[in-house]
Amino acid sequence: MNKKISTSLATLLTLGFFLALHSCGDTGKKTNTSTTDADEKEIVKTVYASDVIPFFDHWKLILGDGSNVGIANNFENKDFFYTENDGNSDWIVFKAPNGGNTHGTSNNTRTELAQIKKWYPKTANDKLTATLKVMNVSATGDARVAATYAVVVGQIHSADKFENEPLKIFYKKFPGHTKGSVFWHYEINTAGDDNSKRWDYSSAVWGNDFSVVGSDTNTYPEEPEDGIALGEEFSYEIEVKDGIMNLTFTGNGHETKTFTKNLIESEFTTKADIPEQTQKLFVPIGQDGVERKEAYAGEGCFFKLGAYNQTNGKSPEVNMNWCSGAETHGGDIQKQYADGNYAEVWFKTGSIQVSDASVSNEGYFTKND
């Protein structure tokens, strides 16, 4: 009897040990599974703009609320500046509402990179390239106002005196149209001390130029046959060398377009030089100045890239070229995003070449931040 009891006890102890060991094994498996899930979550990595185009050491980032982020490596802001993947590539998203706080003296919001160095056109050997697609322009505005439904996607800006702009690259699309227009502007560097007389001259790349507007608030011109659709890629190259600006625009299915402009010797030094387009758009509102003979020579210039929204909420009665009367919801950004009153531009590639003659552009930021 004692032997049987001993045998039974041994059997029970063996069975208990096996069950305990098996139970510990289950616990171990659960713990390992939990750890694996946590590890998988940790693997999900934020893709920053600086991962997509690693050139951010050359720029400071201005956001659509007017703030200056500075050099934006490993940075994102889900309202204005972040990345998206379209199923094929990663893109940097620049987004700017119709209304809100602005940077410097501008009437318009921007989410835009501004170069931290400036260069002088006469001694320049500087270049900017980009591949992009415009995803949204404002849903509201006044069709008679030339800047309405437009966004600037690349610039050359002066850092000195009037801070005028020898180059602005625009995309513009009217509501109901499938295709929009790409065009670029040269703004005169006004002679004298009254910069309120300055004006722009617009050149069409694909589609129309700035001067093609609607006949009334909600009546639009014909859609351009050779235009660019929202979401359609195109590229630009801006090169400034020895005082000459060379522009190249390319896009699949579109004719490559090139332009050349002298930045150090003006062609607009007398009233007789004012182009017909300017006579139509700017002279009637008192912008009828002439340019200094040396144009932008002697002024530090720098590149900008991003989404500089040209549609704003100011009344067209203030300025029929630049004040759109668009919906801004009192500056409420989320309401503007909800009903399409914003500009959004995605960039896939970009590069910048900075000449040895360039110098710090910190003075520009000090004045405008």
Side-chain angles (χ1 to χ4, degrees):
M1 185 69 179
N2 289 339
K3 186 176 181 181
K4 288 181 180 180
I5 292 171
S6 298
T7 303
S8 298
L9 285 171
T11 302
L12 287 170
L13 286 170
T14 301
L15 180 61
F17 177 77
F18 175 79
L19 289 172
L21 182 62
H22 185 68
S23 175
C24 288
D26 286 346
T27 303
K29 281 184 180 180
K30 289 176 183 176
T31 301
N32 288 340
T33 301
S34 176
T35 301
T36 301
D37 289 345
D39 289 345
E40 286 176 355
K41 288 178 182 177
E42 289 173 7
I43 289 170
V44 177
K45 178 181 177 293
T46 299
V47 177
Y48 292 108
S50 50
D51 297 323
V52 178
I53 308 177
F55 69 166
F56 281 81
D57 289 340
H58 295 284
W59 311 91
K60 289 189 178 184
L61 172 65
I62 310 301
L63 294 180
D65 61 3
S67 63
N68 184 345
V69 171
I71 295 173
N73 288 313
N74 300 324
F75 173 84
E76 68 172 15
N77 180 302
K78 288 297 188 182
D79 284 335
F80 306 115
F81 180 79
Y82 51 94
T83 63
E84 289 282 4
N85 187 290
D86 66 356
N88 297 305
S89 304
D90 289 322
W91 297 76
I92 303 173
V93 179
F94 294 77
K95 198 169 181 181
N98 287 353
N101 293 329
T102 63
H103 187 251
T105 59
S106 176
N107 291 319
N108 303 310
T109 67
R110 73 185 79 210
T111 298
E112 191 176 42
L113 298 173
Q115 192 180 359
I116 63 173
K117 288 195 170 184
K118 62 181 180 179
W119 36 266
Y120 294 86
K122 191 171 184 178
T123 57
N125 183 14
D126 296 78
K127 183 188 292 187
L128 176 66
T129 71
T131 298
L132 66 137
K133 54 185 179 182
V134 177
M135 303 301 287
N136 197 78
V137 293
S138 177
T140 63
D142 191 317
R144 301 169 300 168
V145 176
T148 309
Y149 314 119
V151 58
V152 168
V153 299
Q155 294 188 63
I156 296 175
H157 205 289
S158 172
D160 300 323
K161 200 177 180 182
F162 296 134
E163 298 183 3
N164 289 334
E165 298 153 326
L167 175 67
K168 295 189 289 283
I169 299 172
F170 287 75
Y171 175 88
K172 175 179 177 177
K173 188 189 77 67
F174 288 96
H177 287 186
T178 299
K179 296 179 180 179
S181 298
V182 176
F183 49 88
W184 67 275
H185 279 204
Y186 177 81
E187 180 179 52
I188 64 167
N189 202 16
T190 320
D193 296 322
D194 185 5
N195 197 42
S196 67
K197 301 288 187 179
R198 73 190 185 277
W199 45 264
D200 288 23
Y201 179 71
S202 181
S203 299
V205 179
W206 301 298
N208 300 317
D209 63 35
F210 188 70
S211 67
V212 178
V213 295
S215 57
D216 59 49
T217 302
N218 295 305
T219 302
Y220 311 120
E222 289 187 11
E223 182 171 334
E225 291 184 5
D226 62 337
I228 296 278
L230 290 175
E232 183 178 354
E233 289 182 37
F234 66 95
S235 301
Y236 63 72
E237 178 182 290
I238 309 164
E239 180 187 52
V240 182
K241 187 173 183 180
D242 301 330
I244 305 300
M245 177 176 70
N246 296 296
L247 305 175
T248 303
F249 296 89
T250 56
N252 288 337
H254 297 276
E255 181 184 353
T256 296
K257 298 290 184 72
T258 60
F259 304 86
T260 300
K261 182 75 180 73
N262 192 322
L263 299 184
I264 59 175
E265 185 177 336
S266 177
E267 58 187 297
F268 305 119
T269 58
T270 71
K271 297 282 188 182
D273 298 325
I274 297 176
E276 181 181 351
Q277 179 193 109
T278 301
Q279 295 280 359
K280 173 186 172 183
L281 282 179
F282 289 93
V283 172
I285 60 174
Q287 293 180 248
D288 59 351
V290 296
E291 188 170 36
R292 61 200 290 256
K293 182 179 179 181
E294 61 274 27
Y296 286 88
E299 292 198 9
C301 294
F302 62 100
F303 293 123
K304 287 188 166 186
L305 174 152
Y308 182 18
N309 192 352
Q310 297 299 291
T311 304
N312 57 50
K314 290 200 169 185
S315 171
E317 293 179 6
V318 176
N319 187 305
M320 280 300 298
N321 289 326
W322 300 110
C323 297
S324 304
E327 180 60 71
T328 66
H329 294 293
D332 187 311
I333 291 171
Q334 298 308 321
K335 286 183 178 180
Q336 292 177 75
Y337 287 174
D339 60 8
N341 285 292
Y342 63 94
E344 182 175 330
V345 186
W346 293 16
F347 285 80
K348 182 168 69 172
T349 64
S351 68
I352 187 170
Q353 173 183 305
V354 184
S355 60
D356 293 337
S358 63
V359 298
S360 172
N361 194 27
E362 193 57 37
Y364 169 81
F365 298 107
T366 301
K367 284 187 290 183
N368 289 283
D369 286 349

